[in-house]
Amino acid sequence: MGEFDLIARYFTRPARNAALGVGDDCALLQPGPGMQLAISCDMLVEGRHFLSTVDPGKLGHKALAVNLSDLAACGARPLAFTLALALERADDAWLAPFSRGLLALADLHGCELIGGDTTRGPLNICITVFGEVPPGQALLRSGARAGDDLYVSGTLGDARLALDVFRGARSVPATVFEQARARMEQPTPRVALGLALRGIAHAAIDVSDGLLGDLGHILRASGVGATIDTSIAIDLIAACQDSARAKALFDADTQLGYVLAGGDDYELVFTAPASKRDAVHAAAEQAQTPVTRIGRIEAQSGLRLVDGEGRPVPVQHLHSFDHFA
């Protein structure tokens, strides 16, 4: 199968939203009247971002999900995406489920494939996604203000737990592993929540490299600090919410480490004024996405962790993911 046969068979569809889709040197994308384009690009490399044994359908889902998560963090509505794909060989048994997983998530969010590139090489997936947002309504990293509440959506830490099980560093019951594995391989981009938070949240970012590291980007861009209540945050890992037996498998430091520095969660961390608590919970209900208030934004720079009594919790051993480490 040649390059153009591969594209035609698996990735060519009639354009629905774009003025011109797959098939020309460029696609033509027309955002709505008065809208700004929101653009993000993510690369997934075999052995670095995913295991060679991952189901290709789940990989197709994740490849787009991590990009849609960036749009969610900006409060942007998905429009379209491009796909650059390097493959060792054109293998129907891999390409068919990969494209199904990819395009099923694309259809769910009304985000159409409008172009890209393919070549032979080590497995590498690079997606650029396009969304639209009204001027002045994008959620930015630089908008956090002292006095804001600090929230996180969904759960954190299960993807890292699954990775440790895959590596043989930890053993958990099969039901706990399967739940964690689903979070690792098929994350849910919080697009609906990002849209619902426009006009409510001051700042947002998605958790890709770990809560502490990604929150740090907000703090630096906004020139503020934060305090996290670890007695609340520690229970965010789903594996320990549903099973007392699972919770008994982890000491508190391990559990907290998964939540604060695990990464690969693709949940949203955001700040909002304390006066908007009712609005935040209404947005979460509208988006059918749980949110948890875990701390506050402060004028004093730096990130502080405290226990339920307000006593400092050491963080020296917690490090978020670094792509070049």
Side-chain angles (χ1 to χ4, degrees), residues 14 17-18 34 98-99 119 142 175 190 202 225 241 248 301:
N17 301 317
F98 174 83
S99 61
T119 189
S142 57
T175 54
R190 301 302 189 181
H202 278 159
Q241 292 177 349
S301 63

Side-chain angles (χ1 to χ4, degrees), residues 211 228-237 256 259-260 292 294:
L211 173 60
I228 292 176
D229 185 339
T230 61
S231 69
I232 298 173
I234 196 170
D235 289 325
L236 286 172
I237 184 168
L256 191 60
V259 169
L260 297 180
T292 304
I294 62 169

